[in-house]
Amino acid sequence: MKARQNLLGQFEAFIQRLFEGPFARLFPSRIEPVELERKLERAMEDNTLLQGEGRRLAPTVYDVYLSIKDHQQFAPGQATLVRDWQTHLVEFARHRHYTLRAMPVIRLHSDTSLGIGSVRIEVEMEIQGSSGDGGMATQALSAEQLAQLRAVLPQGQNLPGIPTGSGTGHPTSGHGAPAMPPPMPQAWLTIQLPQAGQQTYRIEKPIVNIGRQLSNDIIVEDKRVSRYHAQIKYQPDGQFAIFDLGSTNGITINTTPHMRQHVLQNGDRFTIGSYDFYFQRR
């Protein structure tokens, strides 16, 4: 059954690529973070290797080649975007029951031969210099990446090949198990709409997407706002932070325009397009 699902997924990806190419050439537009996230998923799915007992090994390294303009678009928030894509690929691999030997490495490159909206992704199975013994390549993972990878594993399960408290800087409990991030506090946004209406949005998940595209958690109906404009993330240190996702106009935070990121404090105000947001937490 799993083999049939994998073949079906590859066929659907082929059909999608068949139609995407001509349309992308006729109507070029800059690629958005969520679109690139889907392409990374596809690159992982298309390049898994079949191992014993039906298990599939997923690639570890993803070199993403973009047009100069698309590369420039991602540059201001690249570190945040890469962390989000890494975490998403780990979750995607877990959902598909793929084996990952390390936190995915995602590297962005500009390529003058590519037009706006075009993407080429090259993958490798192993990080150069990894141990090759089937364990996690610890030298390729930062403490923050380890925390992200541990966060998506089932409770009580350790990372293969990485002992707890292995010198990565990740805090441990008195029993040697990795310390869990603090539970999310109660937090919400009071949103002032252009027509003097008001809404309350409760933040109940670690990532909240804001933008004009209908797939966002908070949709801002304003042509000045990018399809995927900003993101609020709950950080391992217990703070909420807002990040711009490479938009043209950025975010106005506490009357300071064109900001790209900010750790939100209780009572902070920010503006995206014509929508005003008031952040509160307990």
Side-chain angles (χ1 to χ4, degrees):
M1 186 63 180
K2 288 182 181 177
R4 287 184 60 191
Q5 289 175 341
N6 192 53
L7 288 172
L8 181 60
Q10 291 180 5
F11 177 74
E12 290 174 346
F14 169 75
I15 295 297
Q16 188 174 354
R17 284 196 295 271
L18 193 65
F19 283 94
E20 277 180 350
F23 277 101
R25 287 191 290 272
L26 285 172
F27 308 103
S29 61
R30 292 185 180 182
I31 192 164
E32 296 290 348
V34 171
E35 296 174 63
L36 186 48
E37 184 176 88
R38 299 291 175 263
K39 291 181 184 294
L40 286 166
E41 287 180 0
R42 192 183 304 158
M44 173 180 281
E45 195 162 38
D46 289 350
N47 291 280
T48 56
L49 291 181
L50 186 62
Q51 296 182 302
E53 300 178 358
R55 292 178 300 171
R56 289 190 170 273
L57 178 66
T60 298
V61 181
Y62 299 78
D63 284 297
V64 181
Y65 294 86
L66 305 161
S67 71
I68 298 239
K69 287 189 176 180
D70 283 325
H71 190 265
Q72 290 173 342
Q73 171 191 345
F74 288 143
Q78 179 172 324
T80 300
L81 288 170
V82 166
R83 285 196 299 270
D84 290 343
W85 290 327
Q86 287 173 319
T87 304
H88 180 80
L89 282 181
V90 170
E91 182 62 29
F92 181 78
R94 187 165 73 94
H95 181 71
R96 291 289 197 277
H97 303 290
Y98 297 155
T99 300
L100 263 178
R101 287 183 172 167
M103 173 69 84
V105 173
I106 301 171
R107 301 183 291 222
L108 301 187
H109 313 273
S110 59
D111 186 335
T112 55
S113 68
L114 293 176
I116 295 174
S118 297
V119 180
R120 186 176 80 256
I121 301 178
E122 298 177 0
V123 305
E124 295 177 30
M125 279 294 165
E126 300 287 347
I127 299 173
Q128 295 299 320
S130 64
S131 61
D133 59 0
M136 300 293 288
T138 55
Q139 66 270 27
L141 305 182
S142 68
E144 183 179 2
Q145 289 172 333
L146 279 172
Q148 291 173 337
L149 190 52
R150 284 188 172 105
V152 298
L153 291 172
Q155 189 171 2
Q157 180 177 332
N158 293 326
L159 297 173
I162 300 182
T164 57
S166 58
T168 60
H170 188 82
T172 59
S173 69
H175 299 286
M180 299 299 291
M184 279 184 57
Q186 291 185 6
W188 61 94
L189 297 168
T190 302
I191 309 170
Q192 187 68 41
L193 306 177
Q195 293 79 21
Q198 194 175 87
Q199 293 180 357
T200 299
Y201 179 88
R202 293 196 173 275
I203 301 175
E204 297 177 334
K205 58 181 186 174
I207 297 177
V208 175
N209 293 302
I210 305 173
R212 186 160 43 87
Q213 185 74 13
L214 296 179
S215 58
N216 286 286
D217 301 293
I218 299 175
I219 302 166
V220 179
E221 298 176 354
D222 189 321
K223 292 183 178 180
R224 296 170 297 172
V225 173
S226 297
R227 287 183 290 172
Y228 304 98
H229 195 104
Q231 191 174 77
I232 295 175
K233 290 185 64 180
Y234 183 58
Q235 309 286 85
D237 62 1
Q239 299 294 324
F240 290 91
I242 186 168
F243 299 92
D244 177 81
L245 299 181
S247 71
T248 302
N249 299 313
I251 311 165
T252 297
I253 303 175
N254 295 329
T255 71
T256 302
H258 307 298
M259 292 191 69
R260 297 298 176 180
Q261 63 183 62
H262 175 74
V263 176
L264 291 167
Q265 305 296 327
N266 189 40
D268 277 351
R269 298 178 183 273
F270 61 92
T271 300
I272 296 177
S274 55
Y275 285 37
D276 294 319
F277 298 79
Y278 178 54
F279 174 78
Q280 291 174 279
R281 62 169 290 173
R282 289 180 181 172

